[in-house]
Amino acid sequence: MSETTELADTQEAGAPVPRPEVMAIAAYVAGESKVAGANRVIKLSSNEGAFGPPPGAIAAYAATAAEIHRYPDGGSAALRRAIGARFGLDPERIVCGTGSDELIGHIAHIYGGPGTDILMSAHGFTMYDIAGTYAGSRVVKVPEQNLTADIDAILAAVTPATTIVFLANPNNPTGSLLPQSEMVRLRAGLPRHVLLVIDAAYAEYVEDPDYDPGVALVDAGADTIMLRTFSKVFGLGGMRVGWGYAPPAVIDAINRVRGVFNVNLAAQAAAVAALAEPGWVESSVAHNREWRGKLMAALNATGIATWPSHGNFFLADFATAERAAAADAFLKSRGIIVRAMGAYALPHCLRITVGTAEECNAVAEALAAFMAHG
Ligand SMILES: *Cc1c(COP(=O)(O)O)cnc(C)c1O
């Protein structure tokens, strides 16, 4: 949790005052998308897939235009059926959200709140901190080992007040992966009343055979939820569609509080079509494997260290915050936007999304020039 609890500069005397929890939150800093003076921008700051939206999703989105006076199906039934068919899951145990971010927020409020602790790993996704703090929980960031969540440390941090553990696997922004054996050990060591949230936003990119996105642990008990998103490999970040797979009681609780029409008409249609796009995930994953490797190797060759990653992004490690900031500024001067990592307590790193071949080559060339002259 951030330490700032002062009122905003814009707060006027006598005007309505937000709850103190709200003012303890540092607003989420999204990936930048514009560079002053650059006419062509390469945006590699938000882990959006490398290929734009699936063509079928564009067509499905356009086809909804004449129907947008209608409310969407509040239960996202067709989309839940399509997700269920694609991943072999019971649609009754699926809930859709306005991005998985919406679901993260509801989970924090449903199971957290004043007097409770929420655990996350030190360099976990900042939305857990924002949502947990807003809910009124104490958010505890548990130290990691080698930029990887430490299961023993998480279990040791559990108190009687702990109600939720949020864990992204693979993790954003570090790219680290926990094998299924570690996830099973985590679940087994947690009290049953603690909800384990496995955020598998990058599941499709993982090629490690000892990986499970969370389905096995959801099916094994009443205490785990898996979150997924259409914003990354499926290329629909602008549509805001995510989903959760969970035991019936958890789905029921979320359905009571989520926006009644949370996933809009066009987003539902686009997501159904994205799932049906032939070969989309396969070609995206093959591209990611090839270019993540090539770009990392190119950076390593210029003397920049990189952290192993199982997602469509990786951390480039510049050893000091000053050097990372200089590299960031150098990239920006060439119209290339990556993600600064100060908000994740990794100011010496930059997170780089794997883009197209051309974009990756542009990053490699720019950073080689930076290392040679910057
Ligand atoms: C991108 C991301 C999300 C958010 O996805 P939306 O569905 O766009 O809200 C959730 N978790 C992690 C770890 C992410 O990187």
Side-chain angles (χ1 to χ4, degrees), residues 70-110:
R70 302 285 183 207
Y71 278 96
D73 168 13
S76 300
L79 175 55
R80 287 188 297 107
R81 275 198 304 277
I83 293 168
R86 168 69 173 254
F87 298 101
L89 304 173
D90 176 3
E92 294 298 317
R93 293 180 172 221
I94 293 170
V95 60
C96 295
T98 312
S100 48
D101 283 352
E102 184 200 6
L103 301 175
I104 291 168
H106 291 317
I107 290 164
H109 279 80
I110 294 169

Side-chain angles (χ1 to χ4, degrees), residues 287-337:
H287 170 88
N288 190 59
R289 179 194 318 125
E290 176 182 357
W291 284 93
R292 187 180 60 202
K294 282 185 175 168
L295 183 51
M296 280 184 170
L299 267 52
N300 296 159
T302 69
I304 301 167
T306 54
W307 288 85
S309 173
H310 295 267
N312 65 332
F313 58 88
F314 62 89
L315 288 180
D317 192 329
F318 293 85
T320 68
E322 293 68 29
R323 194 83 179 128
D328 195 18
F330 190 90
L331 289 171
K332 276 210 183 87
S333 74
R334 296 191 166 206
I336 299 171
I337 308 176

Side-chain angles (χ1 to χ4, degrees), residues 341-356:
M341 288 282 104
Y344 286 89
L346 298 166
H348 55 293
C349 292
L350 296 177
R351 192 193 67 196
I352 303 173
T353 303
V354 178
T356 63

